[in-house]
Amino acid sequence: MKKTVYYVMFLSVCAFSQTKAKLINPKGKWYFGAEIGLNTITSFDYNEENTSISVGGISEYYFDKHWSVQGRIKYMKTGVSFINQPENSWNFGWIKTTQVLLDSPVYNRFDGQAVVIPIDLKWEFRIKKNWHGSIKTGPALTMETKSNYNYGNVDYSTFSKTFVTMNFGYGFNYYISKRYSVGLDFEYYFLGDSKGTTYEFLWNKTHYATNSLCNFQLKYRL
């Protein structure tokens, strides 16, 4: 439902813009702006509450008509949950409900909040007139501001609060005028610092905090 609201907001802004707008070439220009998004924690495995709002600021420089470097600073919630069954345990799936999980010594859960600074290389291509699509990727410095561990049988004392994750995303951008543009951005944060390792049948599994976001962006050109 919330993603639908973002689509409606994005399309509404574009609908009221000029239909015969001059084609915008952003090369050599700086853009600054803000974004608000729906954040989904994808590393919760047992139906825990996983959605929240994220906010952030944007700085972007176009060194080419189709290429830019985008830096942002964001605030978002993150987390991980997993079962750490004893090694050589073959009774997979023996815990059936979330309530049993909460009372189980093999249930481990991390709840966190973080300031994230992604630096992305972005390729932007024209779809039609001033409608552009984009793909981006890059590292993201993550600094946890809140780290709550409800771990039953995993040692978390050595886990870092500052580390680098990877960011990948795609989106759509519309240039309303020479000064303003709006965008709808989808991105995914993965890897980063381990939040625990569990034994599985063929190999050990490392658990990372992963997030999927849908952002509405507004940018202003200097």
Side-chain angles (χ1 to χ4, degrees):
M1 178 64 183
K2 291 184 178 180
K3 286 188 177 182
T4 302
V5 173
Y6 287 128
Y7 279 118
V8 172
M9 291 172 61
F10 183 66
L11 293 174
S12 296
V13 172
C14 298
F16 284 99
S17 62
Q18 297 178 10
T19 58
K20 296 183 179 180
K22 181 180 178 181
L23 293 181
I24 303 298
N25 180 359
K27 181 179 178 180
K29 302 299 191 297
W30 276 100
Y31 283 82
F32 294 89
E35 65 181 15
I36 183 170
L38 176 65
N39 170 36
T40 302
I41 300 172
T42 56
S43 44
F44 279 155
D45 288 344
Y46 300 99
N47 298 318
E48 297 92 342
E49 177 61 39
N50 67 343
T51 57
S52 59
I53 298 297
S54 69
V55 293
I58 307 168
S59 175
E60 184 170 7
Y61 178 73
Y62 286 84
F63 60 88
D64 182 82
K65 184 178 180 180
H66 299 288
W67 292 90
S68 67
V69 175
Q70 185 184 80
R72 290 173 294 152
I73 181 168
K74 297 173 60 67
Y75 163 81
M76 64 186 189
K77 293 183 177 180
T78 187
V80 173
S81 69
F82 59 94
I83 295 175
N84 185 32
Q85 299 189 76
E87 189 171 344
N88 299 323
S89 173
W90 302 101
N91 190 19
F92 299 109
W94 61 279
I95 294 179
K96 299 298 183 182
T97 67
T98 300
Q99 184 57 48
V100 174
L101 280 173
L102 294 175
D103 299 329
S104 169
V106 299
Y107 174 69
N108 299 272
R109 175 172 172 175
F110 162 72
D111 290 284
Q113 299 175 16
V115 174
V116 184
I117 305 176
I119 306 294
D120 293 314
L121 178 65
K122 190 174 81 170
W123 174 53
E124 191 171 290
F125 54 93
R126 178 175 291 130
I127 298 174
K128 184 179 180 180
K129 294 185 178 180
N130 287 324
W131 280 91
H132 288 201
S134 65
I135 299 173
K136 65 180 181 181
T137 188
L141 177 64
T142 301
M143 297 171 287
E144 292 177 7
T145 59
K146 185 176 181 181
S147 307
N148 292 332
Y149 291 91
N150 181 24
Y151 274 29
N153 63 348
V154 173
D155 180 16
Y156 58 86
S157 60
T158 61
F159 294 170
S160 176
K161 291 187 176 182
T162 302
F163 48 90
V164 175
T165 62
M166 291 303 297
N167 178 41
F168 173 80
Y170 62 94
F172 304 94
N173 191 61
Y174 186 80
Y175 293 93
I176 302 173
S177 66
K178 290 183 179 181
R179 295 292 183 185
Y180 290 96
S181 70
V182 291
L184 194 63
D185 177 71
F186 303 90
E187 59 179 343
Y188 186 63
Y189 292 85
F190 56 99
L191 295 178
D193 187 55
S194 168
K195 295 300 181 182
T197 302
T198 57
Y199 172 81
E200 294 196 348
F201 177 59
L202 295 177
W203 52 74
N204 292 341
K205 179 179 180 180
T206 301
H207 299 275
Y208 301 98
T210 57
N211 293 69
S212 176
L213 293 93
C214 173
N215 307 305
F216 177 78
Q217 300 178 334
L218 175 63
K219 294 185 294 183
Y220 173 78
R221 194 198 83 184
L222 291 184

